[in-house]
Amino acid sequence: MICVFTKPHLLALGPNKNNISFIFPQLSLKCNLQMARSAIDETSDTGAFKRTASTFRNFISKEPNSQFPPESGRYHLYVSYACPWASRCLAYLKIKGLEKAIAFTSVKPIWERTKESDEHMGWVFPASETEEAGAEPDPLNGARSIRELYELASTNYAGKYTVPVLWDKKLKTIVNNESSEIIRMFNTEFNDIAENAALDLYPSHLQARIDETNEWVYNGINNGVYKCGFARKQGPYEEAAIQLYEALDKCEEILGRQRYICGNTLSEADIKLFVTLIRFDEVYAVHFKCNKKLLRDYPNMFNYTKDIFQIPGMSSTVNMQHIKRHYYGSHPTVNPFGIIPLGPDIDYSSPHDRNRFSS
């Protein structure tokens, strides 16, 4: 239902602080508009974190008559270095050699007000090139926030304003905001213009294993750290933490007998796992209470993380200052005073032992 109005008679915040109620005496009509949320608000009545699905799900394709063909210079990727989901896409952009075909822009790390008219906090662009190292103003639409991009693409949008955003400059809309789908597009659909087209991170002979691995890694680790960190009751936290460490133990065992998570070939599953592991000791162990064991307590996983980090192009996708400033500075219900820990400042460029496996 869409309600069009000029001046409401009454405006009140609902009991959960996310609903705004407008009452129109002339029409005897009441409309409840759900304010945009961020991930930190996605908890159920049981206190468990429940992530909602992405909304824009179009696909860039080489198929004839595709609405979104893979044209060089047509698309733009909006990311945050802090966000693991966006960092997946940035990693693909780098290691597939797509930077000349698809430019990218990073937002500021700490959430700010996205509109004066409500309290939503989210990703914003700096006002100038010099305001924030590693972040740039929006070069295409002059948007102040990621929220503005969503509202340009859909005037009736009522979901989360998340990164990554894959933007079509020609149609001036969002193609896709689901990282798992964006990386599949980057893997295959731009191979005619990719500088590293031979790299296939989702090869046909490994697809079943990659899909299976992605599922338990997502549930237990990628999303698992968030289920720990954003839980609002002890029970859901403990349940998520147990599942997290079962999955980490499984990774450690697998990586004790092969170089990568799906064998001795780098794959999509490695990129998805890496973006969580690289944040683990610096952020999740403290901020999300994932402290039963550190990444450094797992010798196979720790060396594996260094191995992935040292792939040409990968280190440039990791901005630890943005990562730490975002998590510790953007979640006041988790870290009310925004204090950022000094350490541990791990050197992921130091030698690793993964060359002992063939690849």
Side-chain angles (χ1 to χ4, degrees):
M1 177 179 181
I2 299 174
C3 300
V4 180
F5 58 90
T6 52
K7 292 184 179 180
H9 181 69
L10 175 66
L11 182 151
L13 278 175
N16 66 357
K17 307 294 185 186
N18 282 326
N19 289 320
I20 300 179
S21 297
F22 297 95
I23 299 175
F24 301 85
Q26 304 96 322
L27 303 176
S28 300
L29 177 66
K30 180 178 179 179
C31 297
N32 288 316
L33 302 180
Q34 186 74 15
M35 285 179 64
R37 302 172 301 166
S38 59
I40 198 169
D41 300 312
E42 296 182 298
T43 50
S44 68
D45 292 338
T46 66
F49 173 68
K50 302 286 186 182
R51 188 181 298 276
T52 55
S54 301
T55 306
F56 290 87
R57 309 297 285 270
N58 294 306
F59 208 89
I60 295 172
S61 172
K62 292 184 287 188
E63 293 296 320
N65 302 317
S66 170
Q67 183 182 10
F68 301 100
E71 300 171 358
S72 181
R74 175 168 173 172
Y75 303 100
H76 194 88
L77 182 67
Y78 291 97
V79 302
S80 165
Y81 283 109
C83 173
W85 320 103
S87 294
R88 296 172 170 183
C89 302
L90 187 56
Y92 267 68
L93 204 68
K94 298 282 188 175
I95 63 179
K96 284 288 293 186
L98 288 170
E99 291 177 271
K100 293 179 181 177
I102 304 170
F104 75 94
T105 299
S106 177
V107 294
K108 295 168 68 174
I110 299 178
W111 285 345
E112 298 179 15
R113 286 272 295 275
T114 57
K115 267 191 176 180
E116 295 300 321
S117 57
D118 60 47
E119 298 299 317
H120 177 260
M121 303 288 286
W123 304 111
V124 301
F125 297 98
S128 69
E129 296 281 353
T130 58
E131 178 185 341
E132 180 81 47
E136 307 84 29
D138 175 23
L140 303 179
N141 304 289
R144 181 183 175 274
S145 67
I146 290 293
R147 177 179 183 170
E148 288 185 25
L149 298 179
Y150 279 82
E151 292 174 345
L152 282 172
S154 174
T155 55
N156 298 318
Y157 184 74
K160 295 184 299 178
Y161 306 117
T162 58
V163 287
V165 167
L166 185 58
W167 183 266
D168 181 355
K169 293 189 280 187
K170 182 177 180 179
L171 298 181
K172 299 186 184 303
T173 192
I174 296 172
V175 180
N176 197 295
N177 68 337
E178 170 50 56
S179 64
S180 292
E181 295 175 357
I182 294 173
I183 62 176
R184 293 274 174 94
M185 298 179 217
F186 287 177
N187 186 56
T188 59
E189 301 307 301
F190 289 88
N191 277 344
D192 290 343
I193 50 180
E195 294 181 354
N196 194 11
L199 176 65
D200 185 0
L201 296 168
Y202 192 61
S204 57
H205 70 284
L206 281 180
Q207 287 178 3
R209 188 185 301 181
I210 290 170
D211 290 343
E212 178 189 6
T213 302
N214 284 344
E215 185 172 357
W216 62 262
V217 166
Y218 171 80
N219 289 325
I221 300 175
N222 299 146
N223 199 43
V225 294
Y226 285 88
K227 289 189 288 185
C228 292
F230 290 159
R232 296 189 178 181
K233 293 183 179 179
Q234 188 69 26
Y237 160 73
E238 291 186 5
E239 181 180 348
I242 290 169
Q243 185 182 18
L244 167 65
Y245 280 97
E246 287 175 349
L248 290 173
D249 290 344
K250 183 175 181 178
C251 286
E252 179 70 4
E253 189 276 325
I254 291 171
L255 293 170
R257 47 188 165 85
Q258 58 196 40
R259 185 164 187 172
Y260 302 112
I261 199 65
C262 289
N264 285 318
T265 302
L266 180 73
S267 75
E268 170 187 297
D270 295 298
I271 306 303
K272 288 186 171 185
L273 177 58
F274 169 82
V275 295
T276 299
L277 297 184
I278 197 71
R279 290 161 172 77
F280 201 89
D281 287 9
E282 298 279 1
V283 172
Y284 301 143
V286 178
H287 190 59
F288 282 173
K289 306 175 183 68
C290 302
N291 66 345
K292 184 179 177 182
K293 289 177 73 174
L294 301 176
L295 176 65
R296 288 165 289 169
D297 296 326
Y298 291 101
N300 294 321
M301 269 196 298
F302 184 44
N303 279 282
Y304 163 84
T305 303
K306 291 192 286 185
D307 188 13
I308 304 296
F309 179 82
Q310 292 171 33
I311 293 170
M314 286 297 295
S315 63
S316 67
T317 71
V318 179
N319 186 323
M320 199 57 72
Q321 286 300 310
H322 275 227
I323 291 168
K324 292 177 71 171
R325 289 179 62 211
H326 166 68
Y327 282 97
Y328 292 113
S330 299
H331 304 151
T333 57
V334 180
N335 189 32
F337 296 104
I339 295 171
I340 303 172
L342 289 176
D345 293 330
I346 301 166
D347 181 11
Y348 288 99
S349 63
S350 62
H352 61 78
D353 65 359
R354 305 304 288 173
N355 291 321
R356 71 183 194 268
F357 298 105
S358 61
S359 61

